[in-house]
Amino acid sequence: MGADKDYQSTQIHLPHKKPRKSKKNPNPTLTPEQKKQNRKQAATRVIVEHAIGGMKFFHCLMHRIRNHLGHFVDYFFSLSAGLWNYKVC
């Protein structure tokens, strides 16, 4: 997919893909260990995506910020993350 080449400085965890069907491998499947790793990664991804969606509830991340100060965007992000964590707990 090219993500590992584009982002070499960070560690990216991609799920295991099922191999292609071929003459040598007519019934391709993932190993039980690969399926277990994919499920664990999917469970973590769901939690992260729900958190991001919850932070978008506060609308300061949804709209375009017209301020050119870099720390202002970070302030909005940390403020909405803190409010979401407060709401969850």
Side-chain angles (χ1 to χ4, degrees), residues 56-66 73 76:
K56 288 181 180 180
F57 173 77
F58 295 105
H59 292 289
C60 62
L61 296 177
M62 295 284 292
H63 302 293
R64 182 173 180 196
I65 300 172
R66 292 189 172 94
V73 176
F76 275 147

Side-chain angles (χ1 to χ4, degrees), residues 13-26:
H13 301 285
L14 295 175
H16 297 283
K17 293 176 73 175
K18 187 171 86 170
R20 287 186 151 197
K21 186 176 180 180
S22 65
K23 290 181 182 179
K24 292 182 181 179
N25 192 5

Side-chain angles (χ1 to χ4, degrees), residues 33-83:
E33 181 63 31
Q34 289 175 330
K35 288 182 181 181
K36 185 178 176 182
Q37 289 176 354
N38 281 354
R39 287 210 180 240
K40 184 178 178 183
Q41 183 179 358
T44 304
R45 193 186 81 227
V46 166
I47 293 169
V48 170
E49 287 182 359
H50 280 103
I52 291 171
M55 287 189 307
K56 288 181 180 180
F57 173 77
F58 295 105
H59 292 289
C60 62
L61 296 177
M62 295 284 292
H63 302 293
R64 182 173 180 196
I65 300 172
R66 292 189 172 94
N67 197 324
H68 298 291
L69 300 175
H71 69 279
F72 211 67
V73 176
D74 294 337
Y75 178 71
F76 275 147
F77 195 81
S78 61
L79 180 66
S80 61
L83 287 171

